Amino acid sequence: MPSSSGWPERLWVTGTDTGVGKTLVSAVLVRQLGASYWKPIQTGTELDSDSDTVRALSGCGPERILPNAVALPAPLSPNQAAEAAGTCIRFEDIRRPVATGPLVMEGAGGVLVPVDDRHFLVDLMVRLPAPVVVAARSGLGTLNHTLLTLEALRRRELEVFAVVLIGDPHPLNARDIARFGRVPLVAQWPWLPEITPESIRHLHLG
């Protein structure tokens, strides 16, 4: 159900790749919507935490950062990070936490990143459905990556809400993603030399 802002009360944020800007999009949504944030599966905790990054960038209180269902040290795909830690991810035990108001959920990697021997990240999105915002690069190669991501989501009957392009402006790629992907582009952001609360203050999602 849409909130008073016109955005859904629950949102997934995914990307066409790792490092494409999912966490930045999530932070802007948390700030803009006054939302809570949940990253069900976090890998690479030995390096950093997306939850900490979202809290710092959005300026939200700690009560709006919900605990990871799974947190693993190695910066690998969930299945590989679990293997490296000598454990396995219990897919069925991952449940959406109770949140008051809007909730932004961030995936791990792209939609076809393996979670375990039988499930991909998109399977978790199907089990905990919500409209999806896709973060994508703006430059060469983005058409294939973005359109494949949109196709994978729609084949599983997930609602694609919007795409955000990040990088140097590329009007033809923006046009073709909107046209062939049949999806609205709600923002086109430049690469930022430094990502801080101050440097992203001007970023908004329409």
Side-chain angles (χ1 to χ4, degrees):
M1 176 178 295
S3 67
S4 59
S5 67
W7 286 79
E9 281 286 315
R10 302 286 182 267
L11 281 167
W12 274 106
V13 176
T14 190
T16 56
D17 198 356
T18 296
V20 74
K22 296 186 303 297
T23 303
L24 176 59
V25 171
S26 296
V28 172
L29 281 169
V30 167
R31 183 194 67 196
Q32 184 171 318
L33 303 178
S36 297
Y37 170 83
W38 183 47
K39 178 133 183 167
I41 303 174
Q42 172 73 67
T43 64
T45 58
E46 64 187 22
L47 301 178
D48 56 25
S49 162
D50 290 335
S51 295
D52 291 343
T53 299
V54 168
R55 181 182 172 190
L57 291 177
S58 69
C60 74
E63 72 282 355
R64 283 168 44 201
I65 303 296
L66 307 179
N68 308 121
V70 176
L72 297 162
L76 302 168
S77 63
N79 68 316
Q80 293 177 12
E83 184 178 352
T87 187
C88 61
I89 295 173
R90 295 176 62 87
F91 181 85
E92 294 77 10
D93 290 345
I94 301 175
R95 293 180 173 84
R96 183 160 47 204
V98 175
T100 302
L103 175 64
V104 172
M105 303 176 286
E106 182 183 347
V111 296
L112 292 184
V113 167
V115 172
D116 58 21
D117 289 343
R118 296 186 297 116
H119 301 100
F120 298 99
L121 199 285
V122 73
D123 295 315
L124 182 62
M125 299 169 75
V126 169
R127 197 160 70 81
L128 307 174
V132 184
V133 177
V134 177
R137 293 183 177 87
S138 60
L140 187 65
T142 196
L143 293 181
N144 185 60
H145 294 161
T146 305
L147 295 177
L148 282 173
T149 297
L150 298 177
E151 180 177 303
L153 292 167
R154 288 181 173 136
R155 285 185 63 186
R156 292 160 178 84
E157 299 183 348
L158 286 162
E159 177 188 350
V160 178
F161 189 76
V163 169
V164 178
L165 289 180
I166 302 171
D168 295 334
H170 197 305
L172 294 181
N173 281 347
R175 179 200 69 186
D176 285 348
I177 287 171
R179 178 170 62 175
F180 296 120
R182 296 172 285 111
V183 62
L185 299 178
V186 292
Q188 297 182 60
W189 297 338
W191 289 119
L192 298 174
E194 187 178 13
I195 298 177
T196 66
E198 292 71 29
S199 69
I200 73 164
R201 219 174 281 281
H202 68 286
L203 299 181
H204 295 280
L205 292 158

